[in-house]
Amino acid sequence: MDVQPRDPAEEIKSLERCINDLVSVLALPAMWSGGDPSRIVDTLLDALLGMLQVDLVYVRLKDPGGQAPIEMVRCPPSQKQMLQPHEIGEALKQWLGADAQAWPLLIRNPIGPGDLSIVPLGLGLQGEMGVIVAGSERADFPRQTERLILTVAANQASIGLHEARLRGEQKRVASDLDGRVAQRTAELAAANQELRKEIADRKRAEEDLRSSEEKHRLVVETASDAVISMDDHGTIQFANPATAIIFGYDPAELVGRPLTVLMPEFMRELHDRGFRRFLATGQRHINWRGTELTALRKDGHEFPVEVSFGELTRDGHKLFTGFIRDISERKQAADKLRASERDLSLIIETIPGLIWCAAPDGELTYLNKRLLDYTGTSHDDWAKQGWANLLHPDDAAPSAHAWAHAVATGQPHEVQFRLRRSDGVYRWFQVLGQAARDSEGGVVRWYGLLIDIHDRKYMEEALRESQAQLSRAIQKATVGEFAAAIAHEINQPLAAVVANGQACLRWLAAQPSDIAKAREAAERIVRDGKESGEVVRRIRALFRQAALEKIELDLNEVIAEVLRLLNDETAKKRITVETDLDQDLAPVAGDRVQLQQLVFNLLLNGIEAMEPVVDGLKRLSIRSRHSSPETVLVEVRDSGIGLKDPDRIFDAFFTTKENGMGMGLAICRSIVAAHQGRLWAATGEGPGSIFSFTLPAKAGLAS
Amino acid sequence: MNSDSPVVFVVDDDFRVREALSSLISSAGLRVAVFGSAAEFLDYEKPDAPACLVLDLQLPGTSGLELQQQLVGGDAPPIVFISGHGDIPSSVRAMKAGAIEFLSKPFDDRELLQAIDSAIDRDRIERQKRSELAELQRHYNLLTPREREVLPFVVAGFANKQTGADLGTSEITIGVHRGQIMRKMAAKSLAELVRMADKLGISRAAGTA
């Protein structure tokens, strides 16, 4: 011990402090109890810094787990620069791995200028736990007491750390054990859960099986198909109740007998051979999923069945179950259907209509024989050219357009065109095409019919011609009776015009001229001239002379003809036409065209009178009867607006209609007068009016 | 225009024709009065002047021909018929009944005015005749019943003596009557008295002698 001579009091004081310090150091382990290594080191360093006059205390603990070592450093508060433990570690690095004996006593001060005296002490018996380094700038460091305290502290720390390490180890082992116990417990719980679930599943499966078996049994018992099982010897093991109905055998009666009893003679050998081959090779001689076969009833009757088979192996034995359905009815229905199809196709081929079918895209898929015969074409011709070449050139484009529209919209196709016959003659056809649709409304096919309307078309034209004749008859009928009225109508303003003109000239020629009077006359000319122009316009069409040609006529026939002409008109205007014609009506002597005109005008008048009726019923009724044995009466009743001025309605040019000429009823009156009859109008009980006329019945011909 | 200037009556149901004719006729310097119907015309107080009636054949109510029938025999003016359509039977009837002219509408102004002129001329003459006759009648009315008895004998050329015998009086009394007749009738000669008697429609006595 290189104790320097000093003041003995000082010496004693120093030793006392040392002893105190040693006591404190020895007390440290009590604080460490249960603490971890970092806490031990922490308190150790604080204690050392408090006891010793050092500038640096550094500890480095090796981690037993091989992880980064724990480093700590303490400096007195006077030390300006705060050092990080690893910076000290860096400065001491070169010696850290070495034995404490090999350390120098003096190193360059890592925290200030000059050198630092250091004391390195290993922790643990061989320093295996780490190292503690104390350093001071003092040259007399370490004193003997300081070294003693440091050594004791290092030893204490070694013990404490060792204990802490053991404690840590224990704790880890204990927690490891706990973890393993917990894991095992969880595994056991899971296994238990699984087991329960499995048990429940099995239970349910058993229940399902039971109910499924019950269901299957029920199905089999109540099935309308025969269900028959046989073993691998071909012996029947089971037959369900339906077997009795289909085969005529009691199910119990069949059990134990060979399946072949249910087959006609000719099939038995075939069956046995096929069945043996199947057992030997697994090769099936029939399709197991639905084969049509012939079966034999107990009463010897053979009938068609559909058979499906299933196979089941139980206890090493094969069991075959067959489902046999009586398809007699189905067969018959199918035969019937085929027959009906044959009939239908025969009908389609033979009816006097031309028929075609087309795909949804409009492409022709079928043409009946009539259509081919009419056009003198073959299917090939159609495939190549379609309709194009067969239509009248004027009709081809509109027809194609209409068809394209129908295909695009799915709306019914309706068009008229002229189709060339094999001899080159074009005839008019009405084409009707209708789309057949699936359940979603998509077009699946077009069906088309061509109807020859050539003759009808010409009849229509004849009817139109007849209508034109009627309107010409307006002119004929009027002339005789109206010439005077018309001449008057036209002559009055004309006379006035001429007279005014002459007056005008005279006023001008007078000495002196009277311009004012001439002007007045001229103005009257203009006024009257315009008016006569209007009159001329109204009656221009009315002049044409025709002689009345009276023949014996049935008025009912005349009425029927006119109703036919007006058919379109009444249909278009939604007018209900009622007729009440006396079948025993006597004939009259009359001009057919004029009487048609008469009835036509009265009906048209009624139709026009109902024009303003919007919501009420539009009803036009015409009735014929005898008002006396010598007189035939016809009444035309409408539900229109009625009459306001019944006395004037028959006057020429009197009209309540915006576009009317006021001639219709005047003509009627003139026609009736020419036939020695009477015409009058009255207001009906309901809405509308009644026009009636009588004509003398032809004498001697009355019934 | 004095009251003697001629007047033209127009009866037509068409106002346009009335207006036009009114203008045309007045342009010829004639007075015009227009009527829409026969009744209106009949109600009208006619001026005392030579006149003419321009009458439409077709009229509402009383027709032109019917009006003509009603006017026959009176001192109505001569008629010029106008018609919208001149049917032959109507025109024949009208002319037979004394119409001046029958014109179909439209007509020429000269034809119409000419017809009107001649109608007025005729009316003027008729009026003259009528006024002369009226004068004679006035004179005739001055005669006593006995003188009216004597007159036919005078104009028949009987001598006073024979007349006296026929009427049972003396020749001298007859002579006095003759003188009175000549004076009252303002006849300058027997010949004039004979013409007056003719105009008055007095037939000559046959006499017994």
Side-chain angles (χ1 to χ4, degrees), chain A residues 507-660:
Chain A
W507 289 119
L508 289 172
Q511 289 300 331
S513 308
D514 191 332
I515 300 298
K517 289 237 163 57
R519 186 187 176 82
E520 283 170 19
E523 280 167 355
R524 287 195 297 272
I525 292 171
V526 173
R527 182 197 65 194
D528 298 345
K530 277 185 184 163
E531 193 175 322
S532 25
E534 180 62 21
V535 174
V536 168
R537 191 189 63 72
R538 283 194 287 172
I539 63 181
R540 179 180 288 155
L542 301 179
F543 283 91
R544 193 176 292 176
Q545 194 63 51
L548 209 60
E549 205 182 304
K550 284 191 184 175
I551 55 165
E552 189 185 306
L553 281 175
D554 177 358
L555 264 183
N556 287 345
E557 231 171 68
V558 171
I559 291 167
E561 282 161 6
V562 173
L563 283 175
R564 267 203 300 282
L565 286 175
L566 285 169
N567 205 15
D568 278 358
E569 192 74 6
T570 51
K572 202 162 64 195
K573 294 183 171 157
R574 299 181 182 286
I575 292 169
T576 311
V577 179
E578 290 169 356
T579 54
D580 176 11
L581 305 179
D582 181 355
Q583 293 312 307
D584 298 324
L585 206 65
V588 297
D591 182 289
R592 175 179 290 273
V593 175
Q594 286 212 351
L595 292 184
Q596 277 181 346
Q597 183 69 53
L598 169 64
V599 174
F600 184 89
N601 281 5
L602 291 180
L603 288 173
L604 198 65
N605 184 70
I607 290 170
E608 285 171 354
M610 289 189 283
E611 207 102 287
V613 176
V614 179
D615 36 12
L617 181 66
K618 294 185 179 182
R619 181 161 49 206
L620 188 64
S621 55
I622 182 158
R623 180 175 178 212
S624 70
R625 64 187 167 96
H626 275 275
S627 59
S628 76
E630 299 81 32
T631 315
V632 174
L633 169 73
V634 174
E635 281 178 353
V636 176
R637 215 176 261 264
D638 65 65
S639 60
I641 49 174
L643 298 171
K644 279 205 191 80
D645 213 346
D647 298 332
R648 287 194 62 203
I649 49 166
F650 295 113
D651 289 355
F653 304 116
F654 175 82
T655 180
T656 56
K657 296 161 199 156
E658 207 156 304
N659 298 317

Side-chain angles (χ1 to χ4, degrees), chain A residues 483-485 487-489 491-500 502-504 506-507 510 517 521 524 527-528 531-532, chain B residues 12-17 19-28 56 58 83-86 105-110 113:
Chain A
H488 190 72
E489 283 291 326
N491 267 332
Q492 288 300 105
L494 195 57
V497 164
V498 171
N500 277 315
Q502 289 157 348
C504 179
R506 283 175 166 276
W507 289 119
K517 289 237 163 57
R524 287 195 297 272
R527 182 197 65 194
D528 298 345
E531 193 175 322
S532 25
Chain B
D12 196 308
D13 61 328
D14 192 310
F15 76 96
R16 295 166 301 197
V17 176
E19 280 177 356
L21 290 182
S22 173
S23 180
L24 178 63
I25 293 164
S26 54
S27 74
D56 187 21
Q58 295 92 16
S83 170
H85 68 114
K105 293 176 186 174
F107 35 74
D108 190 81
D109 58 338
R110 279 164 309 182
L113 293 173

Side-chain angles (χ1 to χ4, degrees), chain A residues 229-248:
Chain A
S229 300
M230 66 169 185
D231 62 11
D232 44 11
H233 301 293
T235 305
I236 294 172
Q237 300 292 316
F238 169 81
N240 75 339
T243 311
I245 299 160
I246 293 175
F247 287 97

Side-chain angles (χ1 to χ4, degrees), chain A residues 337-349:
Chain A
L337 193 66
R338 264 195 295 278
S340 131
E341 271 171 6
R342 260 199 312 278
D343 282 354
L344 207 60
S345 88
L346 200 67
I347 288 168
I348 287 173
E349 289 299 341

Side-chain angles (χ1 to χ4, degrees), chain A residues 4 101 269 317 566 683:
Chain A
Q4 290 191 352
Q101 304 298 325
E269 178 54 28
H317 289 287
L566 285 169
T683 305

Side-chain angles (χ1 to χ4, degrees), chain B residues 31-80:
Chain B
R31 287 197 288 168
V32 185
V34 296
F35 308 94
S37 67
E40 274 179 49
F41 170 72
L42 290 171
D43 287 348
Y44 181 71
E45 191 78 23
K46 283 102 188 159
D48 181 18
C52 162
L53 173 57
V54 177
L55 180 59
D56 187 21
L57 194 64
Q58 295 92 16
L59 286 174
T62 311
S63 77
L65 285 174
E66 284 165 354
L67 179 61
Q68 185 188 30
Q69 294 303 317
Q70 288 180 28
L71 295 175
V72 162
D75 54 0
I79 296 172
V80 175

